[in-house]
């Protein structure tokens, strides 16, 4: 990924651990294309190719709410007569005599909309954010009632957009993982009492009568009991013999 910030260039290299899968490359390309083609939703543009045959070129999901002619742009000493477009995404003005003399102001970059006095009289003033160089654009709208009506309309649309902005990127989520709450299994303590770690021994078998037994075994001294007892069968201890239950 080649990038540039101010006068410095950066290069980032990423490796996909899934061999033969182009998913990483195609995903990054798709996201970048969506970002690059939706700049008019986010950035203020001057003298852009946004008007053709005196008609605004609409963006996807953009709707024109009002088209107002006879609007003076007060950026010069004489002013320029043009047309206003108010949409659900931005405010656009272009000169009637030169379509390339225009300005596109997304609501995302508008800081304030108000009415102020100017040398041309009362004017609609739109101030943009610092990120868009903090432009202050003035427009003269006659008569006064129409100026107040457009001011109210723009302020309301700006509030609506701020609550639910439109960025111009449509997407669908594939293979959405389930919420973490659905995957979490609560800990549970088993109600089991561990008596001992030795393998279970059936002590009753030690007392079964031996059909092949003809005589008692020789007595031996047992240190656990401190007594001489008959030698136990292989695999048994005195402790196991007492653990009948």
């Amino acid at each position: 990924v080649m990038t540039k910030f101010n006068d410095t260039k950066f290069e980032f290299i990423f490796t996909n651990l899934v061999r033969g899968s182009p998913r990483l490359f195609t995903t990054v390309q798709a996201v970048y294309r969506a970002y690059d083609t939706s700049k008019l939703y986010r950035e203020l543009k001057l003298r852009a190719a946004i008007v053709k045959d005196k008609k605004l070129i609409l963006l996807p999901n953009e709707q024109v709410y009002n088209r107002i002619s006879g609007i003076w742009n007060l950026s010069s000493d004489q002013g320029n007569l043009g047309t206003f477009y108010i949409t659900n995404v931005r405010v656009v003005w272009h000169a009637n005599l030169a379509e390339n003399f225009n300005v596109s102001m997304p609501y995302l970059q508008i800081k304030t909309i108000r009415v102020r006095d100017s040398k041309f009289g009362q004017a609609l003033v739109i101030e943009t954010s610092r990120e868009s160089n903090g432009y202050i654009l003035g427009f003269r709208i006659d008569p006064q009632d129409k100026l107040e009506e457009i001011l109210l309309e723009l302020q309301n649309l700006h509030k609506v957009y701020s609550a639910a902005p439109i960025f111009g990127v449509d997407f669908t989520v594939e293979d959405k993982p389930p919420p973490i709450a659905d995957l979490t299994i609560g800990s549970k303590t088993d109600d089991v009492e561990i008596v001992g770690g030795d393998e279970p021994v059936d002590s009753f078998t030690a007392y079964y009568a031996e059909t092949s037994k003809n005589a008692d075994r020789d007595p031996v001294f047992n240190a656990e009991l401190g007594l001489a007892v008959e030698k136990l069968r292989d695999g048994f201890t005195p402790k196991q013999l007492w653990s009948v239950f």
Side-chain angles (χ1 to χ4, degrees):
V1 179
M2 302 295 297
T3 64
K4 182 179 180 181
F5 181 73
N6 295 332
D7 295 329
T8 306
K9 294 183 179 180
F10 299 91
E11 179 179 351
F12 300 90
I13 301 176
F14 302 91
T15 301
N16 191 358
L17 297 180
V18 182
R19 294 183 178 274
S21 174
R23 188 178 183 90
L24 175 63
F25 180 73
T26 56
T27 300
V28 173
Q29 259 197 337
V31 172
Y32 174 74
R33 189 181 302 112
Y35 174 84
D36 189 54
T37 57
S38 59
K39 289 184 178 181
L40 284 173
Y41 291 87
R42 307 182 306 272
E43 299 179 4
L44 185 144
K45 294 293 184 179
L46 299 172
R47 299 181 180 273
I50 57 176
V51 180
K52 183 178 180 180
D53 298 331
K54 299 188 182 300
K55 291 184 179 179
L56 177 65
I57 301 175
L58 295 179
L59 303 172
N61 299 324
E62 184 177 22
Q63 301 176 8
V64 177
Y65 290 157
N66 203 348
R67 178 183 180 276
I68 310 153
S69 57
I71 307 296
W72 290 88
N73 187 327
L74 306 181
S75 58
S76 63
D77 293 336
Q78 295 82 18
N80 292 281
L81 186 62
T83 303
F84 232 19
Y85 289 91
I86 300 176
T87 78
N88 59 329
V89 175
R90 55 183 173 163
V91 182
V92 177
W93 177 92
H94 72 86
N96 292 339
L97 299 179
E99 294 178 352
N100 64 335
F101 183 43
N102 56 56
V103 57
S104 173
M105 299 167 284
Y107 294 123
L108 187 65
Q109 296 296 345
I110 293 179
K111 182 179 179 180
T112 59
I113 306 172
R114 60 185 187 272
V115 172
R116 288 175 52 182
D117 290 327
S118 69
K119 63 180 181 180
F120 298 97
Q122 290 279 298
L124 176 71
V125 176
I126 299 178
E127 182 180 355
T128 66
S129 64
R130 184 177 61 181
E131 289 74 14
S132 59
N133 297 322
Y135 288 104
I136 298 179
L137 305 171
F139 303 92
R140 180 180 173 181
I141 304 173
D142 294 321
Q144 182 70 22
D145 294 343
K146 190 175 184 179
L147 171 62
E148 295 176 356
E149 178 183 340
I150 294 175
L151 171 66
L152 182 61
E153 181 179 8
L154 288 176
Q155 288 177 337
N156 289 335
L157 287 174
H158 186 248
K159 290 179 181 179
V160 171
Y161 181 89
S162 299
I166 301 173
F167 298 109
V169 177
D170 296 327
F171 65 93
T172 56
V173 179
E174 298 179 358
D175 302 330
K176 183 178 180 181
I180 189 64
D182 295 346
L183 300 176
T184 303
I185 301 176
S187 60
K188 182 179 179 181
T189 303
D190 295 333
D191 188 14
V192 176
E193 181 181 357
I194 300 176
V195 176
D198 298 332
E199 294 182 0
V201 176
D202 190 357
S203 301
F204 287 105
T205 59
Y207 297 95
Y208 288 164
E210 298 183 46
T211 56
S212 60
K213 181 179 179 182
N214 296 322
D216 293 334
R217 300 184 186 88
D218 295 334
V220 294
F221 177 77
N222 187 282
E224 294 181 36
L225 300 177
L227 299 172
V229 297
E230 183 182 358
K231 184 179 179 180
L232 301 179
R233 297 172 56 185
D234 294 336
F236 289 91
T237 63
K239 183 178 180 181
Q240 291 174 333
L241 293 178
W242 283 103
S243 302
V244 178
F245 298 101

